[in-house]
Amino acid sequence: MALNKKPVHGMRDIMPEEMQIRDYVMGVIKETYSKFGFMLIETPCMEDIGNLSSKQGGENEKLIFKILKRGEKLNIEAAQTETDIVDFGMRYDLTVPLVRYYASHANELPAPFKALQMGSVWRADKPQKGRYRQFMQCDIDILGESSNLAEIELILATTTTLSKIGFDNFEIRINDRRILKAMAAYSGFAQEDYERIFITLDKMDKIGLEGVEKILIEDGFAIEQVERYLDLFRGVKKNEDSLAFIENTVADFLEDDVKTGFREIIESVNATKEDCFKLVFDPTLVRGMSYYTGTIFEIAMPQLGISCGGGGRYDKMVGRFTGKDVPACGFSIGFERIILILMENGFKVPNQGKKIAYLIEKGVTKEVLCDAIAQAQQERQNGMKVLVARMNRNKKFQKDQLLAEGYEEFREFYKEGLKN
Amino acid sequence: MALNKKPVHGMRDIMPEEMQIRDYVMGVIKETYSKFGFMLIETPCMEDIGNLSSKQGGENEKLIFKILKRGEKLNIEAAQTETDIVDFGMRYDLTVPLVRYYASHANELPAPFKALQMGSVWRADKPQKGRYRQFMQCDIDILGESSNLAEIELILATTTTLSKIGFDNFEIRINDRRILKAMAAYSGFAQEDYERIFITLDKMDKIGLEGVEKILIEDGFAIEQVERYLDLFRGVKKNEDSLAFIENTVADFLEDDVKTGFREIIESVNATKEDCFKLVFDPTLVRGMSYYTGTIFEIAMPQLGISCGGGGRYDKMVGRFTGKDVPACGFSIGFERIILILMENGFKVPNQGKKIAYLIEKGVTKEVLCDAIAQAQQERQNGMKVLVARMNRNKKFQKDQLLAEGYEEFREFYKEGLKN
């Protein structure tokens, strides 16, 4: 049978140059987050298919790579539906597995528990440029912390990490699902319509205020309610302190401790943050997942017009596994986007150490060979990167290639010994 | 639907204490191998099912987790066999994906190419103690190097890495498929029986010489051939220089350059190696996979009676993808076994840095909160690991727990400010 040289459709091989950058960035992420007390954990790449199809994952649940049952459990001829032949699925994010992990191990873990996960996830999406069906996610989550200390630490840890990687002039946009709801309530919308309205609001950055207005009216919402709603966003643009404007306008629909807690996040981050980013209240920020219950945030790179990650509070998800809710809040860095940006900007990994190539002629004596290898081992011990290779017939071509790979020095070993 | 808190059957969650050790060991492995010029690469965790079922993987091909086709390509009701409903499979090792990768990208890669891979593989084995269905492999391979420099570098890189992790008194056992074949030929066995004989020989360490003798005779081999074969192994035990004994005895069946090349590996490793291990010629070493074409080797921890990895030369595998053979040689560290040994020995990761816990009373003013966070950020900048947490009502219990987690110092922030 002919073998296929290509990676499976929609996934990709990673070349050494990119891996070097990925490995460096992962190192910075681990180092920085560990300074904030986050601990690395790992879960299997597969989950029970029931856990993945429990409506926690929204649209992602349609994109699960499913694993065929094995052995006696599998009866293909009698099978009618997928449920008959599938038991596991590939995880589509790291949040569902984290919550399962926490539900399973909470007794063995510190409280609150600060988790760092870096791992691949899989989505059977239609492959598009720059989007692959296997990609890395990098999440931090705090479980068991009900106060806004969770949000503050997540934002500071994430922005410190981005700054260490070299990013600046980015924004953290912040909102709260409870502010979103208060704005909808103030406008007179019915509670059962909130999610549908938020889905339209989420398109604001693409279609503008007029676009949102048009869709809401087409969707059959009363024009007075739509205008009252949009007036809030018009007011936001006009008011310097947009948060104060929203707080005051929708005050009757917003609990005081939500206001206080939200302000405290903004003020304490602003008081202690680095200059590399701005924290911006964004009342149009929705974040797709319906599992969010409070604060939501997103990393925006305005020059590039893209988002590079986000997160929020999801206090009701652990309860799905254990029957008892546990406060939870997480922040996910858009690892693949960050790597893409670094690659496009010709990023070079710092402090690579000196690279030396040893070229050994064919047919050297055992003594010369041993001598070369002993020297190489000694130089490695001294911190150098040493490649030991056979000398090609076309030595000039070989050396040019090695120079291109970053080898700065050469040691050449001939039948009669070292010539340099 | 009730959600399942357990990881999928046969796989496991990894707790923070173990992750810390795994991450440290992975760091040492990457650092050390990079000094030898190995470059990290990555392939998708899935491969086309045809690539995985091409008889390269031996018994492992029976253990593939298979991925269900999706969308229109899937017709369950009409399906008769697995082939109808499956397109991808989870990789069961890193060698098949590496060879596919090399076949696909050789033009973009240095020659010879020194690859380092660290990644999970999946085998739908019956779960047993200490063996899981998802586990990490850690492989180095050199492609495009026909000379024994590949073997020498692989053995030195692997043993240097093991030594850096802290292992000593281990053995590298080495043999050559061509020596194995010469011994079988010398004994008068027919070539088509070699693989079957080697499978029995592979059991020598468990069942002894008598056990091997018994099975070979039961299998119907002529008693004179079996005795001639076993006399070789008896001779090995009696002779100080067992390699010379075998070389001389089976000289007529062994090509001179195989002898020279094999001796050169042993002598140059012995001349330059560290004291932490012995390199031992082991004519009973078989290594399961039939794809090996030359040298084979294995890491043995004699005190523990286990093998912790191995590898060898497989010069005929790239040709399966491209039609053109490329010399290849690899060495795989038994990552999971190594972690297990370290855990059982109470291994502690060195140089963890100072850990400080900030405890913040509920209801502190914004000023106190900002002050605490700013100080924490400063101490992180200075290299400390700083946990910022709300103060529990039972502060003593909280501090005892934090002490157990390694937090050595505490800063306490009350409504009226720092009290320390």
Side-chain angles (χ1 to χ4, degrees), chain A residues 4 13-14 23 30 35-36 42 48 51 66 68 100-101 105 134 147 267 366 380 386 390, chain B residues 4 13-14 23 30 35-36 42 45 48 51 66 68 100 105 147 267 366 380 386 390:
Chain A
N4 186 354
D13 293 326
I14 303 178
D23 190 53
K30 280 189 285 189
K35 292 238 160 37
F36 284 79
E42 215 174 88
D48 270 336
N51 286 356
K66 291 167 186 152
L68 201 66
R100 182 198 53 69
Y101 178 99
H105 303 286
Q134 172 177 332
S147 89
E267 290 178 16
K366 256 180 251 178
R380 286 163 180 155
V386 181
R390 287 284 171 193
Chain B
N4 186 355
D13 294 327
I14 303 178
D23 191 52
K30 281 189 284 192
K35 292 239 158 44
F36 284 79
E42 215 174 87
C45 296
D48 270 336
N51 286 356
K66 290 166 188 155
L68 201 66
R100 182 198 55 68
H105 303 287
S147 88
E267 289 177 15
K366 256 181 252 177
R380 287 163 180 154
V386 182
R390 288 284 171 194

Side-chain angles (χ1 to χ4, degrees), chain A residues 136-171:
Chain A
M136 169 87 100
Q137 283 201 336
C138 171
D139 286 15
I140 46 173
D141 291 87
I142 304 181
L143 293 120
E145 173 63 73
S146 58
S147 89
N148 55 13
L149 214 46
E151 281 87 343
I152 296 168
E153 285 276 280
L154 289 170
I155 293 171
L156 288 175
T158 303
T159 53
T160 305
T161 301
L162 288 171
S163 153
K164 287 232 153 88
I165 298 168
F167 286 93
D168 57 7
N169 291 319
F170 61 93
E171 285 178 8

Side-chain angles (χ1 to χ4, degrees), chain B residues 347-362:
Chain B
F347 180 81
K348 290 275 171 258
V349 172
N351 306 323
Q352 279 302 285
K354 195 168 188 177
K355 290 170 86 173
I356 304 171
Y358 281 47
L359 301 180
I360 300 177
E361 194 184 25
K362 271 173 196 145

Side-chain angles (χ1 to χ4, degrees), chain A residues 357-370:
Chain A
Y358 280 47
L359 302 180
I360 300 177
E361 193 184 25
K362 270 173 197 149
V364 296
T365 60
K366 256 180 251 178
E367 289 67 35
V368 173
L369 182 65
C370 288

